[in-house]
């Protein structure tokens, strides 16, 4: 029996990118303090300082190596999932961030082999059975492609949270993954 493929996003799914980027934004622009609750979409240009841009906000050297683990259960749950399923890490990344993301992954999850590390913006094009992600565009595209999903609730996916199965913590994620993969149809909230 072949293993099911579980695709897991990195940023704001297994580690916290937006809070760290906001931290550096607020340090650079003390006259305009941002909070994560203000991030209602992936387009942050409407809320960041006028002197800021995407390269400044997300392009700080070594930013991706500094990111904190999502929660205290994340590493063990990803390890547990990888023992039963074929886990692939799928992340959208600017070219300069790819080595940093790989370094972060090897520091925190060295059990994920290089051949299971994918850089892709259009994740739904990859072969997988289940996607764990925070990006509303990724959740919608995966569902439209007939793939199962588990969302990580964040302010920017609030409008979709009633339409998708969401999990706030990685605590028990392995059990949820098994239930979703073994159940009929597609998961919904509840």
């Amino acid at each position: 029996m072949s293993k099911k493929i579980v695709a897991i996003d990195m940023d704001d799914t297994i580690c916290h990118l937006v809070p760290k980027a906001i931290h550096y934004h607020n340090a650079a622009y003390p006259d305009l303090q941002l909070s994560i609750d203000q991030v209602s979409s992936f387009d942050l240009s409407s809320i960041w300082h006028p002197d800021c841009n995407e390269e400044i906000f997300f392009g700080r050297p070594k930013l991706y190596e500094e990111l904190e683990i999502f929660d205290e259960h994340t590493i063990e749950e990803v390890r547990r999932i990888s023992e039963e399923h074929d886990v692939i890490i799928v992340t959208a990344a600017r070219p300069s961030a790819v080595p940093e993301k790989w370094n972060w992954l090897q520091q925190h999850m060295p059990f994920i082999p290089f051949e299971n590390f994918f850089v892709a913006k259009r994740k739904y094009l990859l072969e997988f059975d289940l996607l764990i992600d925070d990006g509303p565009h990724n959740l919608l595209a995966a569902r439209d492609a007939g793939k199962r999903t588990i969302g990580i609730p964040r302010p920017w996916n609030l409008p979709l949270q009633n339409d998708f199965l969401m999990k706030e913590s990685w605590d028990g994620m392995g059990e949820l993954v098994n239930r979703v993969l073994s159940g009929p149809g597609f998961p919904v909230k509840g």
Side-chain angles (χ1 to χ4, degrees), residues 7 19 32 35 46-48 52 93 108 117 130 155:
L32 180 59
S35 73
S46 65
I47 64 168
W48 62 38
C52 190
H108 298 285
F117 176 67
L130 170 69

Side-chain angles (χ1 to χ4, degrees), residues 76-141:
E76 193 50 44
E77 289 294 330
V78 172
R79 183 188 323 273
R80 184 174 292 127
I81 296 166
S82 71
E83 290 169 356
E84 296 185 51
H85 306 287
D86 198 4
V87 169
I88 60 173
I89 302 298
V90 185
T91 186
R94 60 184 66 238
S96 61
V98 173
E100 292 181 22
K101 287 186 170 208
W102 173 246
N103 290 342
W104 184 95
L105 194 61
Q106 286 307 284
Q107 177 185 353
H108 298 285
M109 298 181 186
F111 52 90
I112 301 292
F114 176 72
E115 59 270 16
N116 288 30
F117 176 67
F118 292 83
V119 177
K121 186 167 180 129
R122 297 187 305 160
K123 299 173 185 180
Y124 66 92
L125 295 174
L126 297 172
E127 186 63 36
F128 56 81
D129 298 289
L130 170 69
L131 173 67
I132 303 173
D133 205 310
D134 67 294
H137 57 290
N138 293 323
L139 295 169
L140 287 166

